[in-house]
Amino acid sequence: MNKLPFTKTQIEQIIKTHPTPFIIYDEKAIRENAKHVNKAFSWVPGFKNYFAVKANPNPFLLKILKEEGMGTDCSSLPELILSEKIGTVGEDIMFTSNDTPTEEFVKAKELGAVINLDDISHIDFLEKSAGIPDLICFRYNPGSARAREHAGFIGNPEDAKYGLTHEQLFEAYKIAKEKGVKRFGLHTMVISNELNPAYFVDTAKMLFELVVDIKKEVDVDIEFVNLGGGIGIPHKPEDKPVDLEYLSSQMKEVYDEIVVKNGLDGLKIVMECGRMITGPYGYLVSTVRHIKNTYKDYVGLDACMANNMRPALYGAYHHIVVLGKENDELTHKYDVTGSLCENNDKFAIDRILPEIVRSDIFVIRQSGAHGYAMGFNYNGKLKSAELLLREDGSVVQIRRAETVDDYFATLDFDKLKGFL
Ligand SMILES: *Cc1c(COP(=O)(O)O)cnc(C)c1O
């Protein structure tokens, strides 16, 4: 696992102007990671990672990633607008939505985004709402048997609401071609937060074979395959990150074997990873508010599941560092909680830590993706600030914390007078 990019003294300094809780991102590490991804896949024709905006919708980070050559993967109107705000438009946007409303197709088409359709019926819907674009991509759902046969995927794609069936996919390309579509893409995403590179190679292989079949059966030339996101990140200290060089070289083997051999060389490969791009480089910093000893021992933080709900939602393990106590003996067992009136508002259960006292500073790791982004206001809990540790060591606030006024912004208290 990567080293913390700050010391306790630095964080204490930051807290003087930015009270906890906050998430702080490491710009240098994010840039280096983005460069690493691009380098690992440099043999790939047209390689691009479309950063999944849902993983981290902060425009400052999006702008950094744009500078590192990434596009955006959007699936809602606000995400499309965010992309537009940082100047990422046209085919640098992948619009991978589902259950899509008219206005989102209209906006995506207006921006010239690559529209990735989730259903065969959306061809008609898109035609009536926004018109047929020159380039269309379809999201493929292999179904459970095919997924198992191709990749031994765990999970059950047939329970997933996404994508077209195998049969529908061929039909969809035929219809799209008849309607005047000139360029075509193929997308799938069947795995999430996965650390085994074999699954991604298998996904690529499945799509490469499909590209060959689509050419044979409906004479459509696929310009790119989009492998989706889903590359996992190490959460436990003993976890290893996905070896991208290995993944890339394995993928090249199947590319040569299937794509090149069938004369389809030049097929582009793109991805839409979010988690592995920013996840390890965002740190939720929180101060111990109370220690409570009842039937169990509790550490109560000033952060709660509004700041990172993955432990509560998925039982996800997030590593915790107690600043200044990194080398202390692990002598105590605690539940690390937030203040929400929900007993699952816990960052860790039965975690072995050094002895904790009030005002200790906790760093909850792997909070850089699907952390702030999933935040919510249940129980009147407000979302935290986001800070950026710049490459020169300075710190800037890239989103302020919510205030009580923000929380009440959608209410009109004046109307209470005279009501009832
Ligand atoms: C969530 C999602 C992603 C990003 O997943 P990560 O785990 O953040 O890499 C990419 N594409 C689609 C369609 C998604 O739903």
Side-chain angles (χ1 to χ4, degrees):
M1 202 177 278
N2 53 310
K3 244 182 90 224
L4 291 186
F6 42 69
T7 62
K8 183 182 184 200
T9 315
Q10 275 171 307
I11 288 291
E12 282 170 339
Q13 208 52 37
I14 295 166
I15 290 175
K16 285 185 187 154
T17 33
H18 304 285
T20 57
F22 55 76
I23 297 187
I24 184 163
Y25 302 97
D26 178 0
E27 176 175 3
K28 184 162 180 274
I30 290 173
R31 284 188 187 275
E32 281 169 2
N33 187 39
K35 287 189 172 79
H36 177 204
V37 171
N38 287 333
K39 185 152 179 268
F41 294 98
S42 56
W43 67 268
V44 173
F47 179 79
K48 196 177 210 34
N49 184 62
Y50 294 83
F51 178 73
V53 175
K54 82 167 185 229
N56 195 318
N58 189 298
F60 292 84
L61 298 180
L62 295 178
K63 205 164 174 184
I64 290 170
L65 293 173
K66 175 187 164 70
E67 214 174 71
E68 297 298 339
M70 293 203 184
T72 55
D73 166 35
C74 303
S75 62
S76 67
L77 187 60
E79 288 183 359
L80 286 167
I81 293 170
L82 267 174
S83 186
E84 188 179 21
K85 294 257 187 216
I86 60 150
T88 293
V89 295
E91 290 177 17
D92 288 341
I93 304 175
M94 187 70 61
F95 183 60
T96 301
S97 62
N98 68 93
D99 192 18
T100 315
T102 300
E103 66 270 21
E104 293 185 357
F105 277 137
V106 170
K107 183 70 179 175
K109 174 101 184 315
E110 182 191 305
L111 290 174
V114 180
I115 296 178
N116 184 15
L117 294 183
D118 184 63
D119 189 48
I120 192 164
S121 71
H122 291 185
I123 307 171
D124 253 2
F125 188 85
L126 176 64
E127 184 173 34
K128 294 200 175 81
S129 51
I132 294 288
D134 280 350
L135 168 62
I136 273 188
C137 183
F138 290 108
R139 180 170 188 166
Y140 174 58
N141 183 328
S144 306
R146 266 200 181 79
R148 263 194 298 276
E149 172 196 328
H150 273 275
F153 289 126
I154 32 181
N156 192 1
E158 281 173 25
D159 284 338
K161 64 174 176 168
Y162 310 110
L164 290 76
T165 69
H166 192 79
E167 290 69 28
Q168 286 173 340
L169 188 71
F170 290 81
E171 187 61 22
Y173 284 112
K174 234 168 36 190
I175 296 171
K177 199 172 152 189
E178 279 161 21
K179 288 189 186 293
V181 175
K182 308 226 161 36
R183 297 163 56 210
F184 302 88
L186 169 64
H187 168 279
T188 200
M189 177 159 168
V190 278
I191 29 188
S192 179
N193 201 4
E194 178 58 59
L195 286 171
N196 181 351
Y199 289 115
F200 299 97
V201 178
D202 290 342
T203 301
K205 182 163 182 273
M206 177 175 77
L207 292 188
F208 296 161
E209 286 170 351
L210 206 46
V211 166
V212 173
D213 290 347
I214 290 165
K215 173 70 183 163
K216 272 192 200 132
E217 289 187 32
V218 290
D219 194 27
V220 159
D221 293 299
I222 302 289
E223 184 175 316
F224 68 85
V225 294
N226 178 346
L227 305 178
I231 295 185
I233 54 174
H235 276 270
K236 299 201 165 150
E238 65 270 23
D239 288 345
K240 294 263 173 300
V242 171
D243 181 341
L244 295 180
E245 285 72 23
Y246 173 77
L247 165 55
S248 173
S249 70
Q250 293 294 103
M251 200 190 284
K252 185 162 190 325
E253 274 183 29
V254 279
Y255 187 91
D256 289 343
E257 199 177 292
I258 300 166
V259 179
V260 177
K261 217 175 245 175
N262 282 281
L264 300 174
D265 203 356
L267 174 73
K268 297 175 188 169
I269 306 172
V270 304
M271 294 199 299
E272 35 185 47
C273 287
R275 187 188 318 275
M276 67 102 33
I277 305 298
T278 56
Y281 313 111
Y283 305 84
L284 173 57
V285 179
S286 180
T287 305
V288 175
R289 198 184 261 160
H290 297 288
I291 308 283
K292 174 171 174 167
N293 309 106
T294 54
Y295 300 104
K296 294 182 91 172
D297 293 331
Y298 295 97
V299 172
L301 298 182
D302 61 3
C304 68
M305 63 189 284
N307 307 109
N308 181 350
M309 71 159 97
R310 297 191 69 262
L313 196 60
Y314 309 120
Y317 179 96
H318 279 255
H319 200 61
I320 291 172
V321 178
V322 186
L323 290 182
K325 296 190 174 178
E326 290 87 342
N327 300 316
D328 286 14
E329 226 183 307
L330 305 175
T331 49
H332 286 62
K333 183 157 83 177
Y334 295 104
D335 279 14
V336 179
T337 81
S339 57
L340 224 118
C341 299
E342 264 292 336
N343 196 41
N344 62 353
D345 181 20
K346 292 178 179 173
F347 290 105
I349 296 171
D350 295 334
R351 186 69 59 91
I352 309 294
L353 295 170
E355 184 172 13
I356 304 302
V357 296
R358 285 188 62 198
S359 303
D360 271 343
I361 304 167
F362 275 42
V363 175
I364 295 160
R365 304 203 48 171
Q366 272 69 35
S367 297
H370 308 282
Y372 180 93
M374 279 190 185
F376 65 154
N377 288 131
Y378 183 50
N379 221 179
K381 300 300 172 187
L382 305 176
K383 296 179 78 176
S384 75
E386 292 181 290
L387 309 179
L388 182 66
L389 177 62
R390 304 298 313 259
E391 289 182 282
D392 63 5
S394 63
V395 171
V396 288
Q397 178 171 281
I398 53 174
R399 190 195 301 265
R400 68 163 171 80
E402 280 182 339
T403 64
V404 171
D405 284 343
D406 293 327
Y407 183 74
F408 290 142
T410 50
L411 291 172
D412 184 350
F413 285 110
D414 287 342
K415 284 199 178 150
L416 268 181
K417 292 177 211 121
F419 174 73
L420 298 186

